[in-house]
Amino acid sequence: MSDNAGFESSMDAAMLEIISDVGRNMKTACYVVEAEAKKNCPVDQGLLRASITSEVDISASEIVGMIGSTLEYAPYVHEGTGIYAKDGNGRKTPWGYTVMAGKYKGFHWTRGQRPQPFLEDAKLSKKSSIERILGGKS
């Protein structure tokens, strides 16, 4: 019987190199989408734009790239609220609220906020770039 240890070792090294390359490509693709999302993001004080980040998780079965924001209000800006909420998932009647200080101080009535899907738009507008990068043709 022949010893396959050298072959197995080279296969393991090749697999690690492939995973590393795909992980690097995923990070690059995420950076491209992240930059576009920041460009598309609505700005009041700039906190939402500054909070947009990306990360890549590599496990034994998959490589996943994620772009998003951890701010509590990010989904409301992205998906909309009230009568304007995406897929009709918002409140159906107007409501009032009071802002105690700052630029918007006072009592206001609202029907909600229209969706501003900065992440979804970034993903769709960069689709061909993402495909090229993930295909190794950056």
Side-chain angles (χ1 to χ4, degrees):
M1 255 194 171
S2 65
D3 184 16
N4 290 327
F7 175 74
E8 289 175 6
S9 175
S10 69
M11 289 296 292
D12 289 342
M15 182 60 76
L16 288 174
E17 187 174 335
I18 290 169
I19 291 169
S20 177
D21 287 347
V22 174
R24 246 189 326 276
N25 291 347
M26 180 63 80
K27 285 180 186 177
T28 301
C30 285
Y31 290 147
V32 167
V33 175
E34 179 185 332
E36 185 70 10
K38 287 181 176 184
K39 188 174 103 180
N40 296 342
C41 183
V43 177
D44 182 12
Q45 296 176 341
L47 298 174
L48 180 56
R49 177 181 284 172
S51 74
I52 298 170
T53 60
S54 61
E55 66 180 63
V56 174
D57 284 342
I58 300 174
S59 72
S61 61
E62 60 188 1
I63 298 173
V64 178
M66 297 167 281
I67 302 103
S69 169
T70 58
L71 289 182
E72 183 179 339
Y73 65 87
Y76 301 111
V77 173
H78 194 270
E79 301 297 308
T81 61
I83 65 170
Y84 306 111
K86 185 178 172 193
D87 301 326
N89 291 329
R91 187 175 182 162
K92 308 297 182 227
T93 59
W95 67 95
Y97 64 96
T98 302
V99 177
M100 301 310 272
K103 183 176 175 180
Y104 302 106
K105 183 177 179 178
F107 184 80
H108 306 275
W109 281 102
T110 186
R111 296 173 151 253
Q113 172 179 288
R114 295 185 189 280
Q116 300 176 74
F118 53 94
L119 291 168
E120 184 70 17
D121 290 349
K123 177 187 77 172
L124 294 175
S125 72
K126 294 298 181 180
K127 183 178 179 184
S128 62
S129 295
I130 295 166
E131 290 171 343
R132 189 177 67 254
I133 293 166
L134 293 179
K137 298 173 186 155
S138 56

